[in-house]
Amino acid sequence: MTGKNTALAMALLLAVAGAGLAQLRPAFGAVADEQGSQMPMNMPGTADLGIPSYHAYALKPPFTATIDPKKFPDALTQNVYALAAKIRPVLYQQPCYCYCDRHEGHKSLLDCFVGTHGSECDVCQKEAVLSYQLTQKGKTPAQIRAAIIRGDWRSVNLNPYMAAASFR
């Protein structure tokens, strides 16, 4: 009889847990419109996916090398990779809001420029340019990280970096 009682208790527990999870399901992967009805979220930018991976501590030498800017055909990529090479310890401490930590396995914004990902992603490029600009203004990596988390990278204009490679 104890076997039947245990099985019944387990079935009841699973049913209650399932019902509880079913109540939570609309909160995952959907948002409410003005009328309160659920809509699926299609863009990762609309969801709060949390802060992507970054290192909260300074990178100690030797610094990981970024790809040589001359390996890329376009001026924008050359310029951004040149900037990234100058601030590798800063990029090491920054998150990347394209969430490449989840689909590329990156641990920080620096990883985007150690490989070719930074050449294909405007989010990475904007964050790197913002990091460089703020570094030039004397901001610390923690202050730059706060600006990236705040979303300041969204307003970065990449047009000035599309001119012939200057390797700033």
Side-chain angles (χ1 to χ4, degrees):
M1 232 6 159
T2 45
K4 282 186 177 181
N5 288 341
T6 303
L8 263 173
M10 289 299 287
L12 182 61
L13 179 64
L14 287 173
V16 170
L21 288 174
Q23 292 297 316
L24 293 176
R25 188 189 60 77
F28 298 109
V31 292
D33 62 12
E34 292 94 27
Q35 290 81 31
S37 58
Q38 298 293 320
M39 302 181 328
M41 284 194 286
N42 298 327
M43 300 181 350
T46 61
D48 181 7
L49 299 175
I51 298 171
S53 296
Y54 68 90
H55 302 281
Y57 53 90
L59 175 64
K60 295 186 175 154
F63 303 132
T64 305
T66 57
I67 293 180
D68 182 350
K70 295 174 189 161
K71 301 234 185 237
F72 299 100
D74 64 293
L76 173 63
T77 303
Q78 289 176 352
N79 285 324
V80 174
Y81 269 76
L83 297 179
K86 293 180 179 187
I87 58 165
R88 291 175 291 165
V90 173
L91 297 183
Y92 181 78
Q93 295 184 60
Q94 306 311 320
C96 185
Y97 276 88
C98 79
Y99 292 97
C100 52
D101 60 332
R102 296 170 191 176
H103 59 84
E104 298 282 334
H106 291 176
K107 302 296 181 202
S108 71
L109 183 56
L110 177 59
D111 290 339
C112 302
F113 298 95
V114 167
T116 60
H117 179 74
S119 69
E120 304 161 348
C121 180
D122 68 325
V123 172
C124 301
Q125 293 168 355
K126 288 180 176 184
E127 289 178 351
V129 168
L130 176 67
S131 296
Y132 180 80
Q133 291 170 341
L134 293 177
T135 298
Q136 293 301 106
K137 292 179 180 178
K139 301 296 183 186
T140 67
Q143 291 170 320
I144 295 168
R145 184 169 50 253
I148 289 174
I149 291 169
R150 206 172 36 244
D152 293 1
W153 58 270
R154 289 183 178 101
S155 62
V156 169
N157 180 5
L158 293 175
N159 288 337
Y161 300 92
M162 292 182 183
S166 61
F167 300 108
R168 302 175 198 268

